[in-house]
Amino acid sequence: MTLIVFIKIVNALIFSFLSGVHIYWAFGGKWAAEGVLPTKDGVKKLNPSLIGTLVVAAGLALFAFISGTDLVEYKWGDLVLSILFGLRAIGDFRYVGLFKKVKNSVFARKDTAIFIPLCIYLSLSNAFLYFC
């Protein structure tokens, strides 16, 4: 197995897992749901709806397809994913990302420990896939 194939499989599995978790949350699941939304002073800054959560799940499923495919027509998708997750890692300069100002919430700690490193990995790995 080549490095490119390995990265494609890992990325497709990550996106598939995340899509499944979002579907689970959309229908009321509670596992791993604490601290996944930014807060300030205990108030959520996002309140996603059922439809919004399912749209995110569908997008992540599409990302899994793009990541796992060898079709040349979808190679541009690797670049789009690289840019998208690079921007997510940088953040909004308030609640999410490397330059967030609110750093004392459960979300902020998870963002720093889990979400940002994952986004950096996805950004760099998809850039690698695009340029190889």
Side-chain angles (χ1 to χ4, degrees):
M1 178 184 319
T2 67
L3 179 60
I4 290 173
V5 171
F6 179 76
I7 291 171
K8 284 179 168 288
I9 291 169
V10 168
N11 287 7
L13 288 172
I14 289 169
F15 287 129
S16 296
F17 172 76
L18 293 175
S19 177
V21 170
H22 280 78
I23 292 168
Y24 168 76
W25 287 337
F27 293 104
K30 301 294 183 208
W31 176 79
E34 183 179 348
V36 296
L37 295 171
T39 61
K40 183 176 180 186
D41 301 324
V43 177
K44 287 182 185 175
K45 294 304 179 183
L46 295 172
N47 290 302
S49 66
L50 168 70
I51 298 298
T53 305
L54 290 174
V55 167
V56 170
L60 289 164
L62 176 63
F63 297 167
F65 173 77
I66 290 169
S67 292
T69 189
D70 279 334
L71 298 174
V72 173
E73 296 85 358
Y74 292 103
K75 186 131 177 107
W76 60 267
D78 293 324
L79 180 61
V80 171
L81 291 174
S82 177
I83 293 167
L84 179 68
F85 284 94
L87 290 172
R88 167 52 182 88
I90 292 167
D92 69 351
F93 298 93
R94 291 176 296 172
Y95 303 109
V96 301
L98 289 167
F99 303 104
K100 65 183 164 287
K101 299 224 183 331
V102 177
K103 298 181 182 196
N104 60 349
S105 67
V106 174
F107 170 82
R109 289 187 289 279
K110 282 187 174 183
D111 192 43
T112 298
I114 301 168
F115 308 145
I116 294 170
L118 179 60
C119 289
I120 290 171
Y121 163 76
L122 290 169
S123 178
L124 294 176
S125 64
N126 279 288
F128 175 79
L129 292 173
Y130 178 75
F131 289 108
C132 286

